[in-house]
Amino acid sequence: MQIQDATDFSLKYTLESGQSFRWNRIDDAYYGVVEGRILKICQVGTTLRVESSTTEDKTTFVPFLRHYLDLDRDVPKLLAAVDNDAYMHRALEKLWGMRILNQELWETVASFILSQNNNISRIRGIIRRLSERFGEQLTFGGYVDYSFPSPEALGATTEAELLACGTGYRASYLREAAAAVVSGEFELTAVKEMSYPEAKRELMRRKGIGEKVADCICLFSLGHLAALPIDVWIKRIFETLYLRRRATYPEIREFAHGYFGDSVGYAQQYLFHYVHECQDWADAEHLSLIETSVTAAAENRKSVAN
DNA sequence: TTCCAGGAGAGAG
DNA sequence: CTCTCTCATGGA
């Protein structure tokens, strides 16, 4: 199966930017588990070659994939709207084509509950062990992986079993969220229909889901591009580059929304991954990129909006 | 060995 | 509202 028109798309940056924890690169192909099947995806130019471990109906599989990879959104247009300064411009150039995935809701809820006060490589390890232990085995040629565990599977475990997978103190958060989904108290299908503020508020009713994790779920699963997950890196980025002072989370949120607008979630993802790819992200040369343009860019945005 | 990581909850002020 | 302390884990 192929998608021929993957223009302005980078499989590498999309799958390696810390929004999904389930992809592995082997040579030039990416292997991952998406909603109960193993996918192998390979990008050559603007063509994506996709293979699945299960038999797929092309009429539904292609739209499913396009939505997962956010290929049906006019991302270049939206990125133009956040291209406000020379620093952001450099991030956009380096990571051009990175898109924000639309991932399955339960897996995203569970994954980002596990992400708190944790690092990406360790989150990946926890999710792999949970899937091995509580998911179902999938095979694709010689490649073996496991589906993400259902709410039923995780809700029925003990915290000791979750701890054995390395979840740490987040075990109770995960188990309780899973049990709430099973009982019907936590309605994921309803959350999908909600606006961004409603969905965020509903998600934050769960123990272990605060503002940052709720924003990750809204952005990486529900397609709410106004969501702005502020982790230690995003805080550091805005304090160092844009505000040039220590700032509270509400201050950062207010500035970022005013500066980048409705697609601040996309802007955030480019900045987040750029500083992870680039050790000298805050050297004098980089700092000068914003100094010269932040004021003008803010004025420009305001005049465009009016 | 200490520090850090896509933080959140509980408590105090 | 803001600040602080704690939480389990393992790689750097």
Side-chain angles (χ1 to χ4, degrees):
Chain A
M1 217 287 304
Q2 289 198 349
I3 291 176
Q4 308 272 11
D5 63 333
T7 54
D8 305 301
F9 179 79
S10 165
L11 187 67
K12 172 184 170 63
Y13 292 134
T14 299
L15 299 183
E16 293 185 2
S17 54
Q19 45 178 326
S20 175
F21 304 105
R22 303 226 64 197
W23 288 94
N24 299 300
R25 185 171 61 80
I26 298 177
D27 299 326
D28 60 340
Y30 287 85
Y31 293 77
V33 179
V34 181
E35 298 193 34
R37 84 272 271 173
I38 293 172
L39 295 182
K40 175 187 177 185
I41 311 182
C42 191
Q43 178 171 23
V44 179
T46 59
T47 297
L48 300 177
R49 292 195 303 107
V50 185
E51 299 172 67
S52 172
S53 63
T54 59
T55 305
E56 306 283 355
D57 177 353
K58 192 171 178 179
T59 61
T60 55
F61 186 55
V62 171
F64 168 79
L65 267 178
R66 296 185 66 88
H67 179 252
Y68 176 76
L69 298 171
D70 211 27
L71 285 170
D72 292 325
R73 202 193 295 269
D74 189 351
V75 172
K77 179 180 176 183
L78 150 182
L79 291 179
V82 301
D83 191 3
N84 285 344
D85 56 76
Y87 195 103
M88 190 66 203
H89 189 76
R90 185 173 290 193
L92 291 169
E93 272 188 337
K94 178 168 175 58
L95 305 175
W96 188 252
M98 179 171 64
R99 301 210 177 204
I100 289 177
L101 296 167
N102 296 107
Q103 302 178 75
E104 196 278 322
L105 183 53
W106 165 244
E107 175 171 342
T108 309
V109 166
S111 296
F112 282 93
I113 283 176
L114 296 170
S115 77
Q116 74 160 42
N117 198 27
N118 214 338
N119 60 66
I120 291 177
S121 71
R122 222 176 76 78
I123 297 164
R124 291 171 60 88
I126 294 168
I127 291 172
R128 185 178 60 247
R129 289 187 290 277
L130 285 173
S131 299
E132 285 171 2
R133 175 72 181 77
F134 301 108
E136 293 178 18
Q137 190 180 78
L138 308 169
T139 60
F140 177 71
Y143 188 87
V144 178
D145 208 332
Y146 298 81
S147 64
F148 191 83
S150 65
E152 288 77 11
L154 289 181
T157 63
T158 63
E159 285 180 21
E161 288 182 289
L162 296 178
L163 281 171
C165 295
T167 59
Y169 68 91
R170 310 160 194 85
S172 64
Y173 301 154
L174 180 60
R175 203 194 58 74
E176 286 175 28
V181 171
V182 173
S183 76
E185 182 197 346
F186 184 19
E187 287 189 74
L188 295 178
T189 54
V191 173
K192 292 182 187 176
E193 302 304 315
M194 294 177 184
S195 67
Y196 165 50
E198 290 171 333
K200 183 172 174 178
R201 191 180 321 120
E202 179 63 21
L203 290 165
M204 288 177 67
R205 291 177 56 201
R206 295 296 124 204
K207 227 183 275 181
I209 302 183
E211 191 162 12
K212 189 269 174 183
V213 168
D215 273 328
C216 282
I217 298 164
C218 286
L219 185 60
F220 300 139
S221 177
L222 299 172
H224 297 308
L225 303 189
L228 174 64
I230 306 178
D231 71 329
V232 293
W233 281 100
I234 293 298
K235 185 169 191 289
R236 196 173 293 155
I237 288 165
F238 278 95
E239 287 180 337
T240 306
L241 301 178
Y242 288 97
L243 297 172
R244 308 279 172 123
R245 61 181 172 81
R246 208 168 151 265
T248 64
Y249 286 87
E251 285 172 334
I252 292 169
R253 189 169 295 283
E254 185 182 3
F255 172 82
H257 271 103
Y259 187 67
F260 288 118
D262 294 336
S263 300
V264 63
Y266 252 97
Q268 166 276 148
Q269 191 64 11
Y270 274 81
L271 291 172
F272 177 85
H273 197 44
Y274 183 77
V275 308
H276 279 74
E277 291 269 297
C278 181
Q279 304 82 349
D280 55 350
W281 64 277
D283 67 6
E285 195 263 337
H286 274 94
L287 289 173
S288 71
L289 294 175
I290 290 188
E291 216 159 348
T292 55
S293 48
V294 63
T295 308
E299 290 297 321
N300 180 51
R301 259 200 58 76
K302 196 179 291 183
S303 68
V304 168
N306 292 338

